[in-house]
Every structure is written in C-alpha cells, then in structure tokens.
Amino acid sequence: MQRQIKLIWDFRGPSAAKTAEHHEIHLKEYIEIEKLPITITGFQSINEMHAIAFMVVTDENMIQVRDALKPHRGELFQ
C-alpha cells in the first residue's frame, strides 16, 4: 500500500472558512480535469481566523499535484 499524503492550503482572516470551503470546489475540479484517482478532499475550520482546505494524494500523484497547485504544507495521512 502506498503512503497517503494530506496536502494542505491554509487560509487566515475573518473569511477563512468560506475561502477554504470554496477552495475545495477548485480542488475537486482539478481532480476531475486531470482524471486523478483521488477521492478524499475537504475543508476544516481550525478557529474563527484559520481554516484549511485539503486533498489526500498517494506518493504516485504527489509531485504532479504539488507542482501544479502549490499547497502550503503536507503531512502523512492516517
């Protein structure tokens, strides 16, 4: 089984949650356009001034997605 990596985009400020929610739409559009085998995306509000959008990729797709979409950070997904 391949490693799964959670690519994360951070959004800050009073509209962070709405921005992260909207960003997830674009992540899903990218997956569809590129016909990638990615099924896990989402957004999460950390607090009222910080939210994230994320996509879980495998090692196989990580470099392509990272170079195209420029996530702010990544971590191993469990």
Side-chain angles (χ1 to χ4, degrees), residues 6-69:
K6 182 178 181 180
L7 300 177
I8 301 168
W9 291 262
D10 291 290
F11 300 97
R12 299 186 188 277
S15 61
K18 283 290 188 191
T19 305
E21 183 177 2
H22 182 77
H23 191 71
E24 183 191 14
I25 294 168
H26 293 297
L27 295 178
K28 288 180 177 181
E29 289 172 346
Y30 177 79
I31 291 166
E32 188 175 319
I33 290 167
E34 296 295 322
K35 297 178 178 28
L36 296 171
I38 297 170
T39 58
I40 302 172
T41 64
F43 67 94
Q44 178 183 2
S45 181
I46 307 300
N47 61 45
E48 61 187 37
M49 297 293 278
H50 182 206
I52 64 170
F54 63 88
M55 172 191 296
V56 177
V57 300
T58 60
D59 282 329
E60 180 181 335
N61 302 113
M62 192 277 295
I63 292 175
Q64 173 191 350
V65 174
R66 180 200 67 196
D67 290 351
L69 302 182

